[in-house]
Amino acid sequence: MASAAEQLASNLNFSTFAKAEDLKKRLWFTLAALLVYRLGTHIPLPGLNPEAYAQAFRGQAGGILGLFNMFSGGAVQRMAIFALGIMPYISASIIVQLMTSVVPALENLKKEGEQGRKIINQYTRYGTVLLGALQAYGISVGLESGNGLVVDPGIFFRISTVVTLLGGTMFLMWLGEQITSRGIGNGISLIIFAGIAAGLPQALAGTLELGRTGALSTTLILAVIVIAIAVIAIIVFVERAQRRLLIQYPKRQVGNRMFQGDTSHLPLKLNTSGVIPAIFASSLLLLPATLAGFANTTSLPAWATAVVAALGHGRPLYMLLYGLLIAFFAFFYTAIVFNPKDTADNLKKHGGFIPGIRPGERTAEYIDYVLTRITVIGAIYLVFVCILPEILVSQTGIPLSLGGTSLLIVVSVTLDTVAQIQGHLIAQQYEGLIKKSKLRGGKRGR
């Protein structure tokens, strides 16, 4: 089966793509949805003083606001209706997934199939509303505390800000779900990808401008480009790397016919957790700085000010905690999304087994052992890919869009989307082969 799929993939060409009408419709829908998202990042929040806010943003563009601005595709810089971005939904999704391993009721829902997933998705939406409302209210209070940022401060501005920003997040959540069901790729990931990719040309132009003005040497710029290419190559290699466990199925008899035993593989990705550890670690580390940034810094106690300063983007403590949190969430999220016991039970139910390993509990222990070992490598890879560029960003002053987390997200989403496009093309060609074989069989019958 795998060899047949590989043969089909090797035969893919432009004519196959030209005949894939459904794929083209999905691609056009995805592009149109992302265009709507990009337009929304340029619609400003009502009630702000644009000049005062632009000046305030420039003062903090290299820190917390700059990082949020990167994930939101420039919406924070303009304080647009999509300034909250899709992050509340991602945070709610992670929280709900974590709770499914703790709360028995949610764990039972997860096992109920499609109906259970719908209920869990609904809980995720409720969590998004709650987190989005809290964050939007914090932004409104923070904007009012700024000097001249809000034209008419008061309860009406706070309500309108919460409604506008929360509405923007809920629209992006809906748009992401539409892309997933009617377009190509994971909608939420593509929205984040579009935001980061939109800032890459400006980041490259800013880096070249720093070289032109002499702030960065030509040698350093070339070194950064080489490192970025090397990091991209590492991401592509690791994201496609798998540890395949040999699965064997015994001979079976159906009626009077004896079928030979079959073999297949259980693929275990080297980085099972994907980009979630980097995103969630960034969110946790940015939380103290976010609260302090929207609060009046003069009213903070001395210890809180010291903690916020130590957790500043690019500081040694920030880098240390960032790496530790990435490694922690790499293991934690892998344990949530992949259950060795369920996998072993499914193999046993279908008669499959790993040669030399007893089915059932022993198989689960072996899968868990292998998964733990490859997750160690995956965690080291994530820490290296995210930390090394961040050190360069903090030391050289190059834009945040060229950081490790952004490169990891862009490359991972690109690989996933290309794989889905290739899957549609293979399905299209496979359906064409079946139709041709049926036509030939019909002609022979005549």
Side-chain angles (χ1 to χ4, degrees):
M1 187 69 182
S3 60
E6 291 173 0
Q7 185 177 1
L8 283 173
S10 64
N11 293 331
L12 294 178
N13 49 39
F14 184 76
S15 62
T16 307
F17 177 80
K19 296 176 183 177
E21 295 297 332
D22 180 66
L23 176 60
K24 287 191 285 187
K25 290 179 182 178
R26 286 177 174 272
L27 286 173
W28 281 117
F29 180 84
T30 303
L31 292 175
L34 294 179
L35 178 61
V36 170
Y37 161 64
R38 291 304 303 154
L39 291 175
T41 60
H42 290 79
I43 302 176
L45 188 71
L48 283 182
N49 184 339
E51 292 79 10
Y53 178 78
Q55 184 177 359
F57 179 83
R58 283 194 295 269
Q60 300 187 26
I64 172 67
L65 290 183
L67 199 61
F68 277 133
N69 187 58
M70 178 189 72
F71 283 119
S72 65
V76 174
Q77 181 179 1
R78 295 178 284 271
M79 192 46 69
I81 59 175
F82 291 161
L84 272 183
I86 204 69
M87 295 308 291
Y89 177 77
I90 293 176
S91 300
S93 300
I94 295 173
I95 291 172
V96 170
Q97 286 184 347
L98 295 179
M99 291 179 65
T100 55
S101 61
V102 178
V103 181
L106 291 177
E107 188 176 1
N108 293 332
L109 282 176
K110 187 178 179 180
K111 297 178 180 179
E112 289 181 5
E114 186 63 28
Q115 187 62 31
R117 281 194 293 270
K118 288 182 179 179
I119 298 176
I120 291 177
N121 289 338
Q122 195 64 29
Y123 289 157
T124 304
R125 296 187 184 100
Y126 294 150
T128 303
V129 172
L130 178 61
L131 291 177
L134 291 175
Q135 293 181 22
Y137 183 78
I139 290 175
S140 66
V141 173
L143 291 173
E144 283 188 341
S145 64
N147 187 14
L149 297 181
V150 180
V151 177
D152 186 19
I155 187 66
F156 179 76
F157 171 77
R158 295 186 183 184
I159 293 175
S160 64
T161 299
V162 170
V163 171
T164 303
L165 294 180
L166 180 59
T169 295
M170 299 306 294
F171 176 79
L172 288 182
M173 180 188 70
W174 175 83
L175 190 66
E177 292 176 349
Q178 295 303 308
I179 293 174
T180 302
S181 60
R182 301 171 61 185
I184 285 290
N186 184 287
I188 303 301
S189 299
L190 281 173
I191 288 176
I192 299 176
F193 165 84
I196 296 174
L200 287 178
Q202 184 179 358
L204 290 173
T207 303
L208 295 177
E209 180 64 20
L210 290 175
R212 189 186 67 83
T213 57
L216 292 177
S217 65
T218 305
T219 305
L220 182 58
I221 293 177
L222 291 176
V224 168
I225 294 175
V226 170
I227 291 174
I229 294 174
V231 169
I232 291 173
I234 292 172
I235 293 173
V236 172
F237 176 78
V238 176
E239 291 299 324
R240 295 172 65 91
Q242 294 178 347
R243 170 72 161 89
R244 294 186 176 185
L245 299 181
L246 179 65
I247 304 297
Q248 193 165 348
Y249 294 91
K251 296 180 180 180
R252 56 194 178 93
Q253 184 173 357
V254 179
N256 294 326
R257 298 184 62 184
M258 178 67 72
F259 290 89
Q260 282 292 113
D262 194 12
T263 59
S264 64
H265 292 88
L266 175 65
L268 300 177
K269 286 189 65 177
L270 201 60
N271 178 30
T272 308
S273 57
V275 299
I276 293 299
I279 295 176
F280 206 42
S282 299
S283 302
L284 284 182
L285 281 178
L286 294 176
L287 185 60
T290 305
L291 297 176
F294 290 127
N296 188 357
T297 54
T298 58
S299 62
L300 291 176
W303 66 267
T305 305
V307 169
V308 171
L311 290 177
H313 192 263
R315 297 295 180 86
L317 181 60
Y318 173 89
M319 294 294 186
L320 177 62
L321 292 178
Y322 188 40
L324 292 176
L325 285 174
I326 288 175
F328 170 76
F329 284 116
F331 281 94
F332 198 76
Y333 195 73
T334 299
I336 291 175
V337 299
F338 191 95
N339 191 330
K341 188 176 185 303
D342 291 344
T343 304
D345 291 341
N346 289 332
L347 287 175
K348 186 177 181 180
K349 186 185 302 182
H350 293 89
F353 63 93
I354 300 175
I357 307 297
R358 185 179 300 174
E361 186 177 349
R362 293 290 186 184
T363 299
E365 292 176 356
Y366 178 74
I367 295 175
D368 183 64
Y369 169 74
V370 174
L371 187 64
T372 302
R373 293 180 67 185
I374 64 175
T375 303
V376 171
I377 302 175
I380 294 173
Y381 144 77
L382 283 176
V383 172
F384 172 78
V385 165
C386 293
I387 292 294
L388 178 61
E390 294 294 336
I391 294 175
L392 292 175
V393 168
S394 61
Q395 296 298 320
T396 61
I398 62 174
L400 287 170
S401 296
L402 298 177
T405 305
S406 57
L407 289 178
L408 178 64
I409 293 173
V410 168
V411 177
S412 300
V413 174
T414 302
L415 290 174
D416 180 63
T417 306
V418 169
Q420 291 202 27
I421 292 175
Q422 191 176 34
H424 278 81
L425 291 176
I426 291 175
Q428 174 78 17
Q429 192 171 13
Y430 187 69
E431 290 176 1
L433 292 175
I434 292 178
K435 289 180 181 179
K436 287 182 180 179
S437 64
K438 287 182 178 179
L439 288 174
R440 291 173 183 171
K443 290 179 180 179
R444 290 174 183 174
R446 293 175 186 174

